Amino acid sequence: MYSVADLKKGLKIILDGDPYLVVAFDFVKPGKGQALYRTKMRNMINGSLLDRTYRSGESFEPASLEERTMEYLYKEGEHYTFMDQQTFEQVVMEEETLGDAKNYLLENLKVEVMLFGEKAIGISLPNFVTLRVTNTEQWAKGDTSGNDSKPATVETGYVLRVPPFIEEGELIVIDTRNGEYSTRVKG
Amino acid sequence: MLKIDVLRLRAKAIKAVRNFFWSRGFLEVETPLLIPANAPEEHINPIPTLSSWQLQTSPEICMKRLLCNGHKKIFQISHCWRSDERGSRHLSEFTMLEWYRADSDYQALMTDCEELLQYVVSTCFADCHCFNQNSKKITYTSPWKRICVQEAFLRFAQVEVSDCINKGLYEDILTSIIEPALAEFKAPVILMDYPVELAALARTKPENNRIAERFELYVGGLELANGFSELCDPLEQRRRFEEANKLRVNNGQVILPLPEPFLDLLATMPQSSGIALGIDRLIMLIAGVDTIDEVVAFTQEEL
């Protein structure tokens, strides 16, 4: 168990059954008065923020979270299945939990899955992923309209802006942190 | 401001504090830091040591014994230790200025505060104002506003302070409503006349034994100093210490030993007043920085 004295930014605790990350913390204590521990916490499942004030003597259950490297297998409806290549254990995550990460999930991609007990609550992706362009309009040579980008769809179904010279079937690198085109894979 | 410059300013300000008290006839004293007993308080925890003795949480017990021994005006700048106090305005080991005046009450200390801060600020900046962490100009010239605690709770939070204490909401209301309201003042503010429950070592007002002659100095919403007319009744003082220990037991905390030699001498102490001012916070104010980490050479985490 953690006591209030253990509270600090980055601590992970369980509140009402959910894992929370302490994102802001301050200790306040008026002269001769009782100490107050003011925290702002983020629910690690749904991302909602919460303000809570604690007093001396209160305690918290640590949220034991584990990160494991897993491989993305397949999608069925809104359910995405991942597998630990060592133990062959499989976990399923909802599309909503994955958020934008679903845009980059290609079969066999290795990701870090965050587990809260048995439950997968999120994934972290490599900063860059390589995906094939499946659909984009041909760039007309001599186009002087001044557009320096055009929409393109990649094999996961994700649509992003790419430079005009990118053609269908080409491999491009996407930065998963902002979802933007990064570079073209030559050859 | 860079740390190297903050530490230079700190040295200059502490020198100014010393000059101020020396020039007004106060004697600079040093009392032991490791002592058999602090004044037991409900919400102040000494850091445990290997022996049964404790590091001081404040030099008040020894300094009041000096008043009993005949000293009239004394000051001390020393380190104090309080367990588990760490935040943007708290360090477990911090520097405290305390001064005591025999034959006087808390009104004299309020005047001292005005003159001391004016002297320190004008020594450091050649002008009687400086900017706090929000780049707000604080002007230190007299007179400073003095507000009774009861009035402050009514005016800023529309509640009775006694209700807040009974419901255990005093600290919450004070820190979330009253202190931010005091931060709006562009000059220091004195909050005075505390309910007796909130003043373990202070004398009550002659006309009202529910109100203690205690005040706190706030600058830019930061609590800077706590002073009071000293209680010199040994029986009442012992009762309050024992009451504090009872509350500690209820809160699941250890009972603290009583400073017996101090209680034995207290009857001989003249009517006095004494005050503690946080030096680190004073430096935060004049350096205009946000956290106490920025005004010390090293924090505990950096060691």
Side-chain angles (χ1 to χ4, degrees):
Chain A
M1 293 293 270
Y2 289 129
S3 81
V4 285
D6 296 314
L7 282 172
K8 62 177 179 205
K9 245 162 118 167
L11 196 75
K12 296 174 185 116
I13 60 172
I14 296 177
L15 273 186
D16 312 321
D18 279 357
Y20 278 82
L21 174 72
V22 177
V23 291
F25 166 73
D26 202 11
F27 169 89
V28 289
K29 186 173 190 287
K32 310 281 177 190
Q34 196 182 133
L36 301 177
Y37 301 77
R38 292 232 160 91
T39 63
K40 191 183 278 293
M41 290 185 283
R42 184 187 299 122
N43 183 310
M44 295 182 73
I45 294 175
N46 62 28
S48 64
L49 284 171
L50 184 72
D51 288 309
R52 283 267 177 108
T53 299
Y54 296 96
R55 286 151 200 274
S56 303
E58 295 190 71
S59 58
F60 317 92
E61 200 181 325
S64 60
L65 293 156
E66 188 194 357
E67 234 182 13
R68 263 156 63 185
T69 307
M70 292 196 180
E71 203 173 284
Y72 169 58
L73 293 184
Y74 60 88
K75 169 188 172 186
E76 210 179 287
E78 305 236 303
H79 305 286
Y80 290 72
T81 301
F82 298 81
M83 183 164 80
D84 184 328
Q85 293 299 299
Q86 248 108 63
T87 63
F88 304 109
E89 191 183 332
Q90 294 190 3
V91 296
V92 177
M93 247 181 284
E94 307 282 318
E95 191 166 305
E96 195 190 336
T97 311
L98 284 169
D100 289 341
K102 68 172 190 293
N103 293 335
Y104 315 107
L105 288 178
L106 194 62
E107 282 166 29
N108 305 325
L109 180 72
K110 285 195 173 52
V111 297
E112 295 296 319
V113 176
M114 180 72 85
L115 293 162
F116 171 54
E118 302 280 290
K119 190 175 158 62
I121 60 168
I123 64 170
S124 38
L125 294 163
N127 288 341
F128 297 98
V129 292
T130 303
L131 292 169
R132 191 172 300 278
V133 176
T134 53
N135 183 21
T136 190
E137 276 179 30
Q138 191 77 31
W139 180 39
K141 279 232 164 85
D143 179 358
T144 52
S145 63
N147 286 339
D148 56 359
S149 72
K150 61 175 184 176
T153 309
V154 292
E155 53 195 314
T156 58
Y158 177 52
V159 180
L160 74 164
R161 308 285 308 180
V162 298
F165 53 80
I166 297 293
E167 291 174 11
E168 255 177 41
E170 271 192 288
L171 286 170
I172 59 169
V173 175
I174 302 173
D175 187 333
T176 61
R177 292 164 297 189
N178 55 22
E180 289 172 11
Y181 167 87
S182 174
T183 182
R184 162 161 69 162
V185 180
K186 295 224 174 73
Chain B
M1 200 184 279
L2 294 171
K3 178 73 112 21
I4 197 164
D5 295 323
V6 174
L7 292 187
R8 286 187 182 121
L9 181 63
R10 180 184 175 107
K12 195 171 176 181
I14 290 174
K15 190 175 173 194
V17 168
R18 285 208 159 85
N19 284 345
F20 175 85
F21 285 106
W22 277 84
S23 70
R24 277 165 176 72
F26 280 77
L27 182 72
E28 179 162 12
V29 299
E30 290 176 283
T31 58
L33 306 179
L34 189 63
I35 55 178
N38 281 288
E41 292 207 35
E42 184 186 357
H43 297 302
I44 296 182
N45 292 307
I47 289 186
T49 64
L50 291 175
S51 75
S52 65
W53 284 33
Q54 306 166 350
L55 287 165
Q56 67 173 5
T57 56
S58 147
E60 63 187 318
I61 296 294
C62 286
M63 290 186 78
K64 284 188 210 171
R65 285 178 62 177
L66 290 176
L67 295 177
C68 299
N69 291 352
H71 291 286
K72 296 291 186 195
K73 288 157 78 179
I74 52 176
F75 82 100
Q76 173 163 220
I77 296 170
S78 63
H79 279 216
C80 297
W81 290 263
R82 294 180 183 181
S83 178
D84 297 331
E85 297 198 2
R86 181 71 176 103
S88 58
R89 298 169 170 196
H90 289 83
L91 288 166
S92 237
E93 175 175 354
F94 59 102
T95 306
M96 190 101 101
L97 161 68
E98 293 209 2
W99 73 95
Y100 289 81
R101 283 176 168 273
D103 311 315
S104 81
D105 67 8
Y106 71 153
Q107 296 282 350
L109 298 175
M110 295 184 207
T111 309
D112 284 343
C113 283
E114 294 197 7
E115 292 173 0
L116 170 68
L117 262 63
Q118 286 159 9
Y119 180 78
V120 172
V121 170
S122 52
T123 303
C124 292
F125 299 104
D127 208 343
C128 212
H129 67 259
C130 61
F131 295 87
N132 75 352
Q133 71 277 17
N134 305 318
S135 302
K136 198 158 81 182
K137 186 170 166 179
I138 307 261
T139 303
Y140 289 86
T141 42
S142 299
W144 295 352
K145 199 148 194 71
R146 298 178 183 188
I147 309 173
C148 294
V149 172
Q150 183 169 18
E151 186 197 325
F153 273 68
L154 280 175
R155 190 192 323 172
F156 301 124
Q158 292 79 49
V159 289
E160 286 285 348
V161 64
S162 52
D163 287 346
C164 297
I165 296 171
N166 293 337
K167 291 176 184 152
L169 291 172
Y170 167 77
E171 290 86 355
D172 247 338
I173 305 278
L174 181 73
T175 56
S176 62
I177 301 174
I178 310 294
E179 289 184 356
L182 297 180
E184 294 301 313
F185 288 75
K186 291 177 174 61
V189 190
I190 284 170
L191 208 54
M192 61 189 281
D193 295 344
Y194 280 70
V196 68
E197 298 89 324
L198 303 170
L201 294 98
R203 191 177 74 202
T204 55
K205 288 184 92 71
E207 71 280 7
N208 184 350
N209 67 1
R210 301 292 311 139
I211 301 291
E213 293 193 344
R214 172 189 164 200
F215 74 96
E216 294 250 7
L217 167 62
Y218 282 90
V219 186
L222 185 65
E223 177 198 345
L224 189 60
N226 172 36
F228 38 85
S229 305
E230 301 292 346
L231 177 65
C232 348
D233 176 347
L235 291 178
E236 172 65 8
Q237 185 67 80
R238 183 181 292 277
R239 194 192 64 74
R240 290 199 204 169
F241 283 162
E242 283 168 353
E243 178 63 23
N245 263 332
K246 253 184 236 160
L247 293 168
R248 291 180 63 85
V249 171
N250 292 344
N251 300 342
Q253 280 164 323
V254 294
I255 293 182
L256 295 171
L258 302 197
E260 294 294 346
F262 163 74
L263 287 168
D264 291 345
L265 273 172
L266 192 53
T268 67
M269 190 169 88
Q271 288 290 323
S272 311
S273 56
I275 178 166
L277 182 150
I279 288 287
D280 308 297
R281 291 188 183 178
L282 174 66
I283 310 303
M284 283 172 71
L285 280 170
I286 61 177
V289 298
D290 246 343
T291 67
I292 202 163
D293 300 35
E294 295 167 76
V295 302
V296 292
F298 301 104
T299 63
Q300 61 209 61
E301 293 81 10
E302 289 168 329
L303 296 176

